[in-house]
Amino acid sequence: MTTFPTAQAVRSTPEGLLWEPSERWVRGRKGEVTVVDSRHPVLVWEPGVPVPLYAFPRAEVREELLRPAKNPPTGTHTGSQTFYDVEVDGELLENAAWTFPAADLADHIAFEWFRRVGRGLDHWYEEEEEIFIHPRDPHKRVDAIPSSRHLVVEIDGTVVAATRRPVLLFETGLPTRYYVPRDDVRLDLLEPTGHHTGCPYKGIAEYWSWRGEADVPPNLVWSYPDPLPAVGAVQGLLAFYNEAVDITLDGERVERPVTHFTRTLAEQVRS
């Protein structure tokens, strides 16, 4: 769980939720219909969940688009009290919104993001910037810093990348990621896959897989062709999952980290 800098900034509820007000202007849309338009959102952290979600004052939600949920779930979202289906232009998003029983949050409505579990709105914005996957945590840092360190990346003993001009990306809670200029990568050993993912801190990534016969997971390499401004230094550069490749930095082998990606990558190899 994120460590907060001041106890005064974050408040808690009897259910174990942590929350704090945000000054960001947040909007959520389904197609061209704005469902949420809030200048007074709150960020909420559920117990055991590393990323926050937003809850919004009822007055800043189009409640006429909400319907009492026909099949409300159980055991999801700590302390959730009432679930709503969201109906927009004839399309029903089941259990896409809910309320919390905590007194401090009783007049707020939270929403699922991007159909993560089969429901949710299509687009979310903070100010004029689209946000992907989940809200950004204000207590988390992501820094992309150019370097002159000597970086070598190997897959199954084959050097795939070697550079003295990497960009190191430091992200709270994750291992350092090493981004390599394309001219320093053996692109002939990689195959684009058409796979894409989104990150609220970096943008939309495209992926490559290893062409060789080594027993490695697919989509092992990624790049941000149009990253968010805060990490613009990684634009077009390629990064590799440290969890599944061998990286040497200034002559020293970097230990493969164990992260929440480790199990997923291993399962992809077995499949």
Side-chain angles (χ1 to χ4, degrees):
M1 184 64 187
T2 301
T3 300
F4 300 103
T6 62
Q8 293 79 12
V10 180
R11 307 164 196 182
S12 62
T13 74
E15 297 79 17
L17 299 168
L18 299 176
W19 68 276
E20 69 176 13
S22 173
E23 295 184 357
R24 301 185 185 197
W25 175 29
V26 179
R27 286 157 293 155
R29 293 177 180 167
K30 171 60 182 168
E32 297 300 318
V33 177
T34 298
V35 180
V36 176
D37 188 337
S38 178
R39 287 169 171 78
H40 306 91
V42 297
L43 283 162
V44 181
W45 288 264
E46 297 180 288
V49 180
V51 299
L53 55 85
Y54 273 122
F56 308 98
R58 286 181 175 273
E60 298 178 339
V61 174
R62 288 189 59 185
E63 287 196 80
E64 74 274 14
L65 301 177
L66 306 186
R67 312 280 184 268
K70 295 181 179 179
N71 300 293
T74 58
T76 62
H77 300 300
T78 302
S80 54
Q81 186 175 46
T82 302
F83 278 87
Y84 297 96
D85 298 336
V86 179
E87 185 172 0
V88 179
D89 291 337
E91 182 176 352
L92 192 68
L93 308 176
E94 294 187 357
N95 302 310
W98 70 95
T99 62
F100 294 110
D104 291 342
L105 300 174
D107 292 328
H108 290 70
I109 299 176
F111 284 78
E112 289 286 359
W113 280 55
F114 306 107
R115 302 174 179 267
R116 286 185 299 178
V117 286
R119 53 189 182 269
L121 305 185
D122 295 333
H123 302 281
W124 288 93
Y125 300 86
E126 290 178 346
E127 303 300 333
E128 294 299 331
E129 189 167 272
E130 186 168 7
I131 304 302
F132 306 97
I133 308 303
H134 61 78
R136 289 183 285 206
D137 189 329
H139 305 288
K140 179 171 181 171
R141 285 190 63 93
V142 181
D143 298 305
I145 304 177
S147 176
S148 60
R149 302 177 74 177
H150 185 208
L151 175 76
V152 178
V153 181
E154 298 176 67
I155 297 178
D156 195 34
T158 299
V159 174
V160 185
T163 188
R164 290 187 179 274
R165 48 180 185 153
V167 172
L168 277 57
L169 190 137
F170 302 94
E171 182 171 354
T172 304
L174 288 175
T176 303
R177 300 300 188 189
Y178 304 94
Y179 285 76
V180 183
R182 291 182 183 230
D183 290 345
D184 297 336
V185 178
R186 288 282 307 276
L187 292 174
D188 59 305
L189 300 178
L190 305 176
E191 182 176 8
T193 66
H195 180 62
H196 294 83
T197 61
C199 171
Y201 305 100
K202 298 183 286 292
I204 301 294
E206 57 187 11
Y207 284 78
W208 289 259
S209 288
W210 170 245
R211 288 182 182 271
E213 298 180 357
D215 195 19
V216 297
N219 300 309
L220 191 64
V221 186
W222 70 90
S223 178
Y224 291 94
D226 187 22
L228 296 177
V231 292
V234 305
Q235 183 173 20
L237 279 61
L238 275 67
F240 299 75
Y241 275 112
N242 312 34
E243 296 87 341
V245 302
D246 294 315
I247 293 178
T248 302
L249 189 64
D250 289 339
E252 295 185 9
R253 180 61 59 89
V254 176
E255 183 178 353
R256 290 190 182 187
V258 177
T259 70
H260 62 283
F261 294 112
T262 302
R263 181 176 179 180
T264 301
L265 293 167
E267 290 174 347
Q268 290 175 344
V269 171
R270 289 195 294 270
S271 63

